Amino acid sequence: MEVALFATCLTDTFYPRVGQAVVRLLRHFGCRVCFPDGQTCCGQPAYNSGFHAEAAALLHRMTRVFAPYACVVTPSASCAAMVKHHGPPLLADNPPAHEAALRLADKTWEFNTFLRDQLNVDVAGLLRFEEPVTFHYPCHARELYSPADLQGWLRGNGHDVRTPVHADLCCGFGGVFAVEFPEVSGAMLDDKLTELAATGATLVICNEAACALQMMGGARRRGLPLRFKHLAECLAESLGLLEPAA
Amino acid sequence: MNPTSGLRARLAEAHRDQRVVDAVHLATWRKVEARADAMAGLRHYAALRDRAAQIRQHTLDHLPQYLEQFVERATALGATVHFAANADAACATVCDIAVSRGLKLAVKSKSMTTEEVHLNDALLAAGVRVVETDLGEFIVQIDRDRPSHIITPIIHKDRRQVARAMARELGCPYTEDPAEMTRIARQHLRDIFRRCDLGITGANFAVAETGTLCLVTNEGNGRMTVTRPRVHVALVGIEKIIPRLIDLPVILKLLARSSTGQPLGAYTTLITGPRREGDVDGPEELHIVLLDNGRSRILSGPFREVLRCVRCGACLNACPVYRNVGGHAYNSVYPGPIGSVLSPLLYGRPAEELPRASSLCGLCYQVCPVKIDIPRLLVQLRTATRARQPRGKRLLMRAWAWAMDRPWLYRLAQRLMRRLLPDDGTGWINRDNHLFRRPLRAWTAQRDLLRPPPQSFRELWKGGLGDER
């Protein structure tokens, strides 16, 4: 199966290792992976901020970049949700573009759900953790997978998975919100990190680059010994496709 | 002037009030858990929620017809129905009813519409004394405070503040025992109930089919308010209509569970007309004031679904922003996520920045018993104020979108960022080690910034990853 990787701008810039893990995993499970070099951003920051003309233009651009491919996979639930749910209505007054956006929505997959639903990979059976883990459930995964799904993937092989008291609590990032209302965003971050730290696990599974930027930076500022990894990195390490990282 | 900066400062200041933030954390978490437990024990939750949303939306889609039916039925039962186009008209109507009949002492059960039109102030100016009989609202009133939650008006207060207010204003002995405080308030209110001549309520629902008003309360004060005084005035938003009596239980099953985790409110009062021949209690006169105050404008626009709201408060309890700033920070009768949608629609400019103060985490939508897609409405409202955003932000957004449309520029920006960001070898940028204090400060004030690693993903891909295997 041929798969086009939609790396997302944040993963591309800040978390190349996640992209690397995704590529090697997809190949490991028999996919041919392409990386269309023209890709940039799906337009979500503009969409969330109310700049919908700009967001529509960027989404339209995405539909052209990924037009040649039958299947698009991304390691970000947030960007997947943008492309799949919020994006198409932005192009409603331009029928051909809208049509293209609906096609893109239809063929775009969030990485974990792609493994589960398209490749039938038993993630729970393949993952190996040598230590207790906890997790952050990204808010924008809501229409893609549930906190229970995520727990299910982590829980295989008798792993010690420590569920935070409120598994679906927001990290406080929220895009432009994080810099427009930094005090409130920081307070939400405090609430989140307190719950994660209280689990006693120091490894946090976080499948979202934006949330990771917020929580890693927050944990470092507060001197908390939390480490954050995308599930793809853990799975690639478990299968020997990536050198284990600290 | 940056319009968001006023709101930012207000929210930041609200968050600095540790006592309020602690009280709101404690109460909202307790309610979130109570709601979750209650819903877990409810059979067919998803189907009920779908049905409730459908009933509310259907009503809005046919509102003129159902309103007409309601007015016809209520009038036939002997109620007098008034229409109030706005807050002033509503206050004038109620004051006129009171003054023309020489009514002097009004009791009120909890009502958001009366808060919305500031009815108490108007009545006071007309020479009518108004006493709040909901315990929370009573404390707000004696402490000259404002409610900060649509269901739990004193969610921001702790026990000591309540005890102090009661001792000071009622002249009773100081006590922090909730049972004792409740007893004192009840005793005080009993005397008021004995003497009152006007009862003022809102309504949770108004049933078109039967002309019935439905009131949900927890303390019995609502029932006393509508039976004891000679005249009952209900101020009801026009969107409160539901078509039939059998639609009521669908929504009632979700309402109290969403609010407090109770299966039902302690008192569900159905009022069908004033006192009839042979009735043992009830008012001689029932006046129903149907309040528009911007609702028909909202109804005809793209935000119609917000009028499905049943004022359960679940979105406030679930919201991580509300939890960290409390209700007063919103500067509106309607705080929290639903308030951030409703307030700009009702009040325009002064509230128009509220939709930006959300991380769009979606918990509000998740818990809404009538499925109002609050995050989507918030985003939609943000488009409306786009032109009034600070110039710098508009330029930045346009420049960013322009660059993202040109992959070469995107790659250049990526490389420039790595070049320009300071590098002290830690891989991080903190509060102190960066030159760009101003632009980065909004981020680094709260968290360190991860320095992008030396190679981006696309460079890894070009540098060999693409050709592996």
Side-chain angles (χ1 to χ4, degrees):
Chain A
M1 180 191 261
E2 187 186 64
V3 167
L5 175 67
F6 166 35
T8 80
C9 51
L10 287 182
T11 302
D12 181 19
T13 307
F14 288 96
Y15 299 102
R17 189 171 188 269
V18 173
Q20 196 177 14
V22 168
V23 170
R24 289 186 179 161
L25 285 166
L26 290 173
R27 283 179 180 151
H28 178 82
F29 295 119
C31 299
R32 211 168 75 74
V33 182
C34 307
F35 179 74
D37 192 49
Q39 63 180 282
T40 58
C41 169
C42 61
Q44 182 171 198
Y47 169 74
N48 283 348
S49 304
F51 289 76
H52 286 192
E54 287 79 358
L58 289 177
L59 184 74
H60 192 194
R61 180 166 194 289
M62 286 274 295
T63 64
R64 291 192 301 266
V65 169
F66 289 101
Y69 307 95
C71 183
V72 179
V73 173
T74 176
S76 159
S78 187
C79 304
M82 176 65 199
V83 169
K84 293 179 79 65
H85 301 296
H86 311 304
L90 296 175
L91 292 163
D93 54 3
N94 177 350
H98 188 227
E99 192 57 40
L102 290 173
R103 270 199 303 277
L104 179 63
D106 210 42
K107 69 186 180 186
T108 297
W109 291 85
E110 185 278 332
F111 172 73
N112 295 292
T113 54
F114 184 73
L115 289 193
R116 180 188 63 189
D117 301 338
Q118 291 296 100
L119 302 179
N120 300 313
V121 175
D122 172 27
V123 171
L126 295 173
L127 264 177
R128 289 276 184 282
F129 292 114
E130 308 297 330
E131 57 179 317
V133 289
T134 184
F135 62 89
H136 166 65
Y137 174 73
C139 301
H140 291 175
R142 207 154 268 141
E143 285 162 79
L144 302 163
Y145 59 85
S146 68
D149 289 335
L150 180 53
Q151 266 170 299
W153 293 323
L154 301 179
R155 204 177 266 150
N157 298 313
H159 295 140
D160 180 2
V161 179
R162 314 260 177 99
T163 306
V165 183
H166 304 98
D168 57 359
L169 182 62
C170 174
C171 69
F173 177 73
V176 178
F177 171 79
V179 289
E180 275 192 333
F181 300 95
E183 297 82 5
V184 184
S185 171
M188 291 159 71
L189 177 58
D190 284 331
D191 288 348
K192 182 76 207 185
L193 291 174
T194 303
E195 289 202 354
L196 290 176
T199 63
T202 58
L203 176 59
V204 184
I205 304 307
C206 171
N207 295 336
E208 202 62 61
C211 310
L213 266 184
Q214 163 95 339
M215 292 189 295
M216 284 172 85
R220 189 169 190 276
R221 172 65 54 85
R222 289 153 183 79
L224 295 168
L226 298 171
R227 292 133 54 232
F228 295 82
K229 273 188 194 175
H230 195 288
L231 192 139
E233 292 176 276
C234 301
L235 188 58
E237 287 174 9
S238 302
L239 293 171
L241 303 171
L242 265 188
E243 286 296 311
Chain B
M1 230 257 334
N2 179 348
T4 17
S5 72
L7 182 58
R8 172 185 167 181
R10 208 162 77 215
L11 298 187
E13 196 193 326
H15 178 68
R16 278 194 295 273
D17 193 334
Q18 193 63 47
R19 194 161 55 172
V20 168
V21 171
D22 286 347
V24 176
H25 266 73
L26 197 72
T28 52
W29 278 135
R30 214 162 31 208
K31 282 166 189 280
V32 163
E33 277 141 32
R35 179 202 162 274
D37 289 347
M39 292 306 180
L42 183 63
R43 285 173 62 210
H44 312 304
Y45 163 66
L48 272 170
R49 183 169 176 252
D50 282 342
R51 186 79 186 127
Q54 237 173 44
I55 291 168
R56 295 292 297 134
Q57 188 62 41
H58 167 87
T59 314
L60 296 173
D61 293 343
H62 303 84
L63 194 58
Q65 165 200 330
Y66 287 122
L67 263 176
E68 203 175 315
Q69 191 185 3
F70 175 78
V71 173
E72 194 182 299
R73 292 298 308 145
T75 310
L77 290 161
T80 311
V81 180
H82 312 254
F83 278 94
N86 53 41
D88 288 345
C91 290
T93 303
V94 180
C95 288
D96 184 54
I97 293 168
V99 171
S100 63
R101 286 161 184 74
L103 308 174
K104 287 286 176 209
L105 178 59
V107 286
K108 258 185 78 194
S109 78
K110 188 168 164 24
S111 138
M112 290 310 298
T113 43
T114 57
E115 287 290 332
E116 181 185 323
V117 304
H118 303 292
L119 181 63
N120 288 9
D121 297 339
L123 280 168
L124 203 64
V128 182
R129 184 183 168 206
V130 187
V131 179
E132 297 283 354
T133 64
D134 171 86
L135 186 54
E137 293 285 355
F138 174 71
I139 289 157
V140 165
Q141 190 180 34
I142 63 170
D143 208 19
R144 298 171 188 82
D145 200 352
R146 284 178 298 146
S148 71
H149 187 287
I150 62 179
I151 293 299
T152 319
I154 53 167
I155 196 168
H156 60 287
K157 282 190 185 311
D158 63 28
R159 195 182 290 187
R160 274 192 305 278
Q161 290 170 295
V162 176
R164 272 202 300 274
M166 288 185 69
R168 190 183 64 231
E169 300 296 325
L170 305 181
C172 59
Y174 181 92
T175 171
E176 289 178 18
D177 173 26
E180 182 58 15
M181 285 193 277
T182 308
R183 199 192 57 76
I184 295 167
R186 176 184 288 142
Q187 204 167 31
H188 179 87
L189 289 171
R190 272 300 142 100
D191 178 55
I192 306 280
F193 275 122
R194 238 172 249 127
R195 296 188 287 122
C196 65
D197 42 22
L198 172 61
I200 299 172
T201 69
N204 291 84
F205 305 101
V207 184
E209 174 189 53
T210 55
T212 303
L213 296 176
C214 174
L215 265 187
V216 180
T217 58
N218 260 335
E219 296 158 16
N221 62 309
R223 195 165 280 191
M224 308 240 302
T225 303
V226 302
T227 48
R228 176 72 207 160
R230 186 151 76 73
V231 179
H232 172 200
V233 176
L235 182 61
V236 184
I238 54 170
E239 85 284 16
K240 290 285 166 186
I241 303 278
I242 56 168
R244 301 166 302 177
L245 208 52
I246 59 160
D247 298 322
L248 191 57
V250 176
I251 302 176
L252 288 179
K253 275 188 170 196
L254 295 171
L255 178 64
R257 284 182 170 91
S258 298
S259 287
T260 55
Q262 295 164 280
L264 269 182
Y267 296 87
T268 302
T269 309
L270 300 182
I271 303 150
T272 308
R275 183 197 293 231
R276 271 161 295 198
E277 195 72 25
D279 283 358
V280 290
D281 56 17
E284 292 159 24
E285 292 180 50
L286 169 61
H287 295 268
I288 300 168
V289 183
L290 292 169
L291 177 71
D292 188 323
N293 205 29
R295 286 165 174 75
S296 51
R297 194 185 62 236
I298 299 173
L299 190 71
S300 61
F303 299 100
R304 173 182 287 190
E305 80 179 73
V306 75
L307 295 177
R308 283 185 213 157
C309 178
V310 293
R311 309 281 190 264
C312 69
C315 62
L316 280 66
N317 301 333
C319 179
V321 174
Y322 178 87
R323 186 172 300 123
N324 275 293
V325 299
H328 289 159
Y330 292 77
N331 246 359
S332 168
V333 168
Y334 300 105
I338 192 68
S340 294
V341 178
L342 207 48
S343 309
L345 294 171
L346 290 176
Y347 306 122
R349 287 276 177 107
E352 72 175 10
E353 288 305 320
L354 284 176
R356 294 187 186 276
S358 164
S359 68
L360 304 176
C361 83
L363 281 173
C364 46
Y365 178 39
Q366 177 105 336
V367 299
C368 178
V370 288
K371 295 178 85 171
I372 301 171
D373 192 344
I374 295 175
R376 190 176 58 75
L377 298 181
L378 289 172
V379 168
Q380 201 59 41
L381 281 164
R382 290 176 184 185
T383 65
T385 55
R386 170 198 166 125
R388 288 190 290 285
Q389 292 302 297
R391 213 180 136 73
K393 181 180 166 189
R394 275 182 294 151
L395 274 175
L396 204 66
M397 194 55 86
R398 288 230 293 279
W400 170 85
W402 196 79
M404 287 291 183
D405 202 18
R406 288 157 182 79
W408 66 270
L409 206 51
Y410 162 84
R411 288 192 294 267
L412 180 69
Q414 229 176 14
R415 280 200 299 273
L416 270 178
M417 181 159 88
R418 279 204 306 260
R419 183 73 62 81
L420 294 176
L421 284 173
D423 187 359
D424 63 3
T426 60
W428 289 90
I429 294 147
N430 62 37
R431 238 181 312 220
D432 308 312
N433 69 357
H434 62 81
L435 299 166
F436 316 95
R437 294 196 67 87
R438 277 187 65 82
L440 286 185
R441 200 166 43 194
W443 182 270
T444 58
Q446 300 291 331
R447 15 17 200 169
D448 290 351
L449 178 62
L450 180 66
R451 204 178 187 288
Q455 281 197 302
S456 67
F457 172 78
R458 66 184 64 219
E459 286 162 345
L460 281 184
W461 177 269
K462 280 228 175 83
L465 181 64
D467 301 321
E468 280 177 9
R469 196 169 62 160

